[in-house]
Amino acid sequence: MNPPKCDDLDYIQFLIAAQKFFTCTEAARCQPEGAEKPAHDAFTRLLRRSPPDTEALWSEVKPLVRLKEGVLILNDTTLDKPYAEKIEVVTYHWSGKHHRVVRGINLITLLWTEGEAHIPLDFRVYARHLDGLTKNDHARNLWAEAKSRGFEPECVLFDSWYASLENLKQLNGLGWRWLTQLKSNRLVNPDGEGNRPVSTLSIPEEGMVVHLRGYGWAKVFPRRRVTRDGSLKTEYWATNDLDLKRDGWEEYAGMGWRIEGYHRGLKQCCGVERSQVRSARGQVRHIGLAIRAFLRLEWHRLRTGLSWYKAKKGIIWEAIRTYIANPIFTLNPTA
């Protein structure tokens, strides 16, 4: 068998440098000239033949994280695929960007941060029509894998979608402190007089210890904020740490927003939504390589202070400077 003409790093570096088009054809066009320059079929085979593997991501991430510090954040995002009718993993998902259900790929990520870094540890693609797994199944698998890798985080953060009883009990079994949002109709018993929706309680700013139905004791904090339309909305945050103070949960909740920045960077800088490969294996491979491309941009940001966006622009600026110094498109009618 002939050796492959391109590898993961060839594709990763292409994703970092590319600005608009992220196809295998474009990857081949951008390779340096030479006898071994790969054709677009080589990149297609790279995505289709190699099985999706998160161990390669973990091997790169491991030196960048501290297992017993920081927090783990779990959340998902929808990768837009409005015109993809033949990509296997594309189905309909809720999009926070569009505020409606759209066609796309649902990507679930476990992120590590100490308040500054955005380090993706692991990911899953939600495709229940292919593997039968729910989002909560994937969440529990991600947490269990993190535990097996030695993580003992200060806290685990996730939103109300992942606050099922089975998930909360698993985190307790792992010995981890968790912080999540509760839906307003979640039933709690604050005084032994019976269960009622958490939204009906008058919860002080310093929090209230309640009995969460089916789970046990938890501490609930209110967060009141003004929405875009000017109305007042109250969010309900809960934790299994009954001694957690207001400033503590607010600090952790603030760190939870790191994953939103990560999602933006992954989409805008690494072309994670742009692959046109049709097979499920190819799409998952592309997503994994895009995440590894983001990791390099993030590591560069942490070392230099240069944003992901400016780092990518710098590649183009250098190319433009090189061209201007030796332009090939000139006008000389007398020549």
Side-chain angles (χ1 to χ4, degrees):
M1 181 181 293
N2 294 327
K5 294 188 176 179
C6 61
D7 58 21
D8 287 3
L9 290 180
D10 292 325
Y11 193 77
I12 288 170
Q13 295 300 343
F14 161 70
L15 294 178
I16 292 172
Q19 303 291 315
K20 186 176 181 180
F21 300 105
F22 296 85
T23 64
C24 292
T25 300
E26 192 71 10
R29 286 173 181 162
C30 296
Q31 297 305 303
E33 295 294 338
E36 297 300 318
K37 180 178 180 179
H40 77 276
D41 286 345
F43 287 98
T44 301
R45 287 192 293 270
L46 175 72
L47 297 182
R48 291 180 177 174
R49 291 184 178 178
S50 302
D53 179 17
T54 63
E55 287 301 317
L57 172 63
W58 171 239
S59 68
E60 295 179 344
V61 163
K62 190 174 181 179
L64 309 181
V65 299
R66 298 186 291 277
L67 298 179
K68 300 186 185 302
E69 299 179 24
V71 302
L72 300 182
I73 311 167
L74 184 122
N75 206 344
D76 61 86
T77 189
T78 296
L79 310 179
D80 285 351
K81 293 285 187 181
Y83 309 112
E85 297 182 357
K86 297 183 179 181
I87 295 178
E88 292 179 346
V89 288
V90 170
T91 53
Y92 286 93
H93 305 281
W94 174 261
S95 169
K97 173 184 175 182
H98 300 289
H99 301 286
R100 57 185 174 86
V101 174
V102 300
R103 288 181 60 82
I105 299 173
N106 191 259
L107 173 64
I108 306 169
T109 301
L110 188 65
L111 191 85
W112 178 89
T113 184
E114 84 296 28
E116 174 61 24
H118 308 69
I119 307 296
L121 302 176
D122 208 344
F123 72 95
R124 299 290 186 273
V125 171
Y126 171 54
R128 192 173 185 179
H129 61 293
L130 297 178
D131 58 23
L133 298 176
T134 67
K135 287 186 180 182
N136 285 310
D137 290 331
H138 286 305
R140 290 190 292 274
N141 290 339
L142 287 168
W143 288 326
E145 184 67 25
K147 181 72 173 183
S148 71
R149 289 170 171 171
F151 277 95
E152 296 295 340
E154 298 173 20
C155 192
V156 181
L157 311 174
F158 47 98
D159 66 18
S160 59
W161 181 276
Y162 298 100
S164 70
L165 290 177
E166 189 173 357
N167 290 357
L168 299 183
K169 290 177 179 179
Q170 184 204 37
L171 291 172
N172 263 14
L174 296 175
W176 289 351
R177 176 166 61 174
W178 53 260
L179 177 67
T180 185
Q181 290 189 54
L182 297 179
K183 293 183 178 180
S184 60
N185 62 351
R186 195 67 177 262
L187 296 179
V188 298
N189 188 340
D191 52 14
E193 298 297 324
N195 292 309
R196 67 200 77 169
V198 66
S199 59
T200 64
L201 305 182
S202 297
I203 305 174
E205 295 294 327
E206 61 270 18
M208 174 188 292
V209 175
V210 299
H211 190 275
L212 185 61
R213 191 179 73 164
Y215 171 78
W217 298 104
K219 192 171 186 178
V220 180
F221 296 91
R223 170 184 274 181
R224 298 172 180 88
R225 62 182 181 88
V226 178
T227 62
R228 291 181 179 180
D229 61 7
S231 60
L232 185 65
K233 178 181 180 180
T234 302
E235 299 172 348
Y236 301 94
W237 291 71
T239 177
N240 61 340
D241 183 355
L242 305 186
D243 297 322
L244 189 63
K245 304 299 181 184
R246 177 182 174 184
D247 56 348
W249 84 260
E250 287 182 335
E251 179 182 0
Y252 287 138
M255 294 169 72
W257 283 101
R258 287 281 164 185
I259 200 166
E260 301 298 336
Y262 160 73
H263 286 154
R264 287 193 297 272
L266 183 64
K267 293 176 181 180
Q268 296 177 21
C269 298
C270 301
V272 71
E273 297 176 305
R274 304 292 185 86
S275 175
Q276 298 176 13
V277 64
R278 293 182 178 181
S279 68
R281 170 177 286 190
Q283 278 293 332
V284 176
R285 270 284 279 163
H286 167 79
I287 290 169
L289 293 171
I291 292 172
R292 290 169 64 189
F294 172 87
L295 187 63
R296 285 156 173 80
L297 289 173
E298 173 64 355
W299 180 237
H300 183 74
R301 183 188 72 84
L302 293 172
R303 289 188 296 111
T304 66
L306 202 65
S307 73
W308 315 314
Y309 309 99
K310 196 168 184 178
K312 275 188 72 83
K313 283 290 186 181
I315 299 171
I316 296 301
W317 293 337
E318 184 60 31
I320 293 173
R321 282 193 290 267
T322 300
Y323 172 78
I324 291 175
N326 186 29
I328 60 174
F329 297 103
T330 61
L331 186 61
N332 188 357
T334 61

